[in-house]
Amino acid sequence: NAGVTQTPKFRVLKTGQSMTLLCAQDMNHEYMYWYRQDPGMGLRLIHYSVGEGTTAKGEVPDGYNVSRLKKQNFLLGLESAAPSQTSVYFCASSYESYNSPLHFGNGTRLTVT
Amino acid sequence: AQKVTQAQTEISVVEKEDVTLDCVYETRDTTYYLFWYKQPPSGELVFLIRRNSFDEQNEISGRYSWNFQKSTSSFNFTITASQVVDSAVYFCALSEASDYGQNFVFGPGTRLSVLP
């Protein structure tokens, strides 16, 4: 039982390049989330999904896009990377909405130069 | 707007000392959940506990205990007889029933260092 799997684990981009982060969960969870973690700021929600085919903006959505074409996958895209997007990105999933704990992937460390 | 404050940025203790990590939250909802997560140096985020707003009983799990007080909007976490393996960043989080989907506001975290 893998839980939540994120790929890649590390990535270095140059300003203006694009990339997609993949998140896959095998727990049949409805809810999926993308967070970014920056020093001293905790985790901030980028985008989330309440079910297959749905996405919504979180606290810091600018510069990111997401897609949830299949229930088990949640993709995070950066169309034109900027140094301000250097961060550690975490994907999470949960069985229900507000009352279920989040299950996190191991994170992706992204550096934009 | 919901908010979570963890006033202690970093704490250092010597092994076997007890340590309490503070968490203060703000919410207008009457129904909400509070969580604690641990992030060890390896980087993963580990769920520790969930508490709903209607259950103010303190909880103990081994060396870990949690004190939930609605009167002071606090959900503090105590580690008894700390060990080096407890060294990690600990996050407190709040989730409101009214905030469908867009929930889980995290505090900034407290970095705990347990020295041998």
Side-chain angles (χ1 to χ4, degrees), chain B residues 30-50:
Chain B
T30 56
T31 302
Y32 54 89
Y33 280 75
L34 295 161
F35 301 80
W36 276 95
Y37 286 85
K38 174 183 179 180
Q39 186 176 42
S42 50
E44 72 273 21
L45 285 149
V46 179
F47 163 69
L48 295 177
I49 191 173
R50 171 184 61 182

Side-chain angles (χ1 to χ4, degrees), chain A residues 1-106:
Chain A
N1 191 351
V4 179
T5 303
Q6 287 182 236
T7 53
K9 288 183 169 53
F10 302 94
R11 186 70 186 269
V12 178
L13 290 179
K14 293 184 178 179
T15 298
Q17 288 185 321
S18 63
M19 77 163 294
T20 299
L21 281 67
L22 172 63
C23 177
Q25 54 95 3
D26 61 3
M27 296 173 284
N28 201 34
H29 285 172
E30 288 291 338
Y31 299 83
M32 296 188 74
Y33 311 82
W34 276 106
Y35 287 88
R36 60 177 288 172
Q37 182 180 20
D38 302 290
M41 303 189 74
L43 290 97
R44 293 182 293 168
L45 183 63
I46 305 171
H47 286 280
Y48 64 99
S49 169
V50 301
E52 180 180 318
T54 74
T55 64
K57 295 179 180 180
E59 180 186 356
V60 289
D62 294 342
Y64 305 95
N65 56 76
V66 289
S67 65
R68 182 115 181 254
L69 299 180
K70 293 183 178 181
K71 185 177 182 179
Q72 63 268 34
N73 296 334
F74 195 30
L75 280 63
L76 177 70
L78 286 74
E79 291 186 346
S80 180
S84 60
Q85 294 178 305
T86 294
S87 187
V88 179
Y89 292 85
F90 284 96
C91 176
S93 70
S94 65
Y95 178 65
E96 292 181 320
S97 180
Y98 67 95
N99 60 350
S100 295
L102 296 175
H103 297 261
F104 285 91
N106 287 334

